[in-house]
Each structure stands twice: as C-alpha cells, then as structure tokens.
Amino acid sequence: DQQVKQNSPSLSVQEGRISILNCDYTNSMFDYFLWYKKYPAEGPTFLISISSIKDKNEDGRFTVFLNKSAKHLSLHIVPSQPGDSAVYFCAARGYTGNQFYFGTGTSLTVIP
Amino acid sequence: DGGITQSPKYLFRKEGQNVTLSCEQNLNHDAMYWYRQDPGQGLRLIYYSQIVNDFQKGDIAEGYSVSREKKESFPLTVTSAQKNPTAFYLCASNNRAPTEAFFGQGTRLTVV
C-alpha cells in the first residue's frame, strides 16, 4: 500500500513561471518530509526538507509547504528554469524508525 | 571527497546467477539502505541497516540478501530467487537523526 503518493506523473511549466509539485501521505506518524530531484540513470539528490513541526521551509527558489491536517505537502519552484527539468520525488520518514517512504515521482519539464 | 560509491554502474547477469552490488560510503553514516526503482514507479525499499551487524527487511526483500560487516559497506546480493531482477538499484545512507539520505549514482542491472 503506497503511503506516499504523487498523483501527477508529469508537469510542464513555462520558464520563469511557478512550478507546483504535490504530494499526499496517509501515515500521520510521519515526522520529516523531503524532496529529491533525479535525473535519468543517476541517484536522487536532496533538495529541501521540512519537519512536521513546521508548515513552511524556504531555500532560495524552492519552498516546501506542509499541511498536516490534509496530509499534504507541496514544492514550489519560483522562478522555474530549464535546468529544473527532472523527476521530483517526495519522501517521508516515520517517527519510530529510520525508513524513508518515497512517492512515485513527478516529471517536471520547464519549457524555455 | 565524502560520498557514496556504487559499483559497477552497469551490470549484466545471466538468469540463474547470483550477483552482488557494491555500496561504500565514507560519510561515517550509521544507516544504509538499498532501494530499487522500476520505470514509472517510486523507490521501493529492499533492505536497510541502522548499525553494523544488523539489518532489516524492507518492503520487497524477497530474493535479495545483504550484509553489514563494516560501517562503510553494505553490499546487496541479488539471488536467482528474485523473479524480476532487471532494475535500477540505489544505495543510500544517513545518520539516525532525522536528516536527509544521500544516494549513490546507482547500478543498472540487466538480466540476459
């Protein structure tokens, strides 16, 4: 059973506009959430994270929002750049363990 | 340079043969993980280890085995019992505190 879901397999955005990637989770015991960026045939690279005690975290062009009541998080990229084109995975970590649960990924294409 | 090294990058195996994928980290991380990625799917956890000489099964451990004899090494053996071994395999590590996991560059295993 998929505990972390990314319901949009793909997203296309014009350069300079905002990209919004969404992620839903089912387990209320998750306490730490992350976004990773991945290029084909490479390992994911860490982008940004957020603890469950916060509702927003910013790092440059990237902002992650967490809505615990809705069990929903989103990644905003502003402004989007062609180099942002990649697959983005959201992940969640359980409170009692050290496992990371990953979504199925959203392929972002930023059109120049 | 600290990081995680997976080798080889590409691996071909004949059906019925066991094969071992290497993962080494010099980040002094306690925890290490093996994930598998298939097209259109997220990262699925095979095994993880939080400390030397200890490891736990993930969601798809059948047909795989691991060892953790040294802190820096976590090799994965894909046995002949694994029904569909062709996939992209990713190794990761982190410390047990809630921090991001760092990934290697992956090994593409193809069964021929």
Side-chain angles (χ1 to χ4, degrees), chain B residues 22 36-37 40 43 67:
Chain B
S22 169
R36 168 180 171 145
Q37 185 189 14
L43 280 63
S67 63

Side-chain angles (χ1 to χ4, degrees), chain A residues 2 31-32 34 36 38-46 49 87 89 93 96-105, chain B residues 9-10 31 33 35 37 40-43 45 48 50 59 88 90 94-105:
Chain A
Q2 192 81 18
D31 68 340
Y32 186 64
L34 312 92
Y36 282 84
K38 185 182 182 301
Y39 295 112
E42 293 185 9
T45 55
F46 170 72
S49 63
V87 176
F89 289 96
R93 180 181 181 272
T96 56
N98 203 28
Q99 290 190 54
F100 291 89
Y101 297 88
F102 284 82
T104 52
Chain B
K9 191 168 178 64
Y10 299 96
Y33 311 81
Y35 288 90
Q37 185 189 14
Q41 297 199 36
L43 280 63
L45 182 65
Y48 67 104
Q50 299 199 53
D59 299 323
F88 188 56
L90 287 159
N94 75 335
N95 281 322
R96 280 186 280 177
T99 61
E100 66 271 22
F102 293 85
F103 282 84
Q105 289 300 294

Side-chain angles (χ1 to χ4, degrees), chain B residues 19-67:
Chain B
V19 64
T20 298
L21 282 60
S22 169
C23 179
E24 303 278 330
Q25 55 99 359
N26 59 5
L27 300 166
N28 200 33
H29 285 166
D30 293 312
M32 296 187 74
Y33 311 81
W34 276 104
Y35 288 90
R36 168 180 171 145
Q37 185 189 14
D38 294 284
Q41 297 199 36
L43 280 63
R44 293 184 291 167
L45 182 65
I46 304 172
Y47 269 98
Y48 67 104
S49 168
Q50 299 199 53
I51 196 169
V52 174
N53 292 323
D54 186 51
F55 48 83
Q56 288 80 40
K57 293 182 179 180
D59 299 323
I60 55 166
E62 186 175 350
Y64 300 98
S65 65
V66 293
S67 63

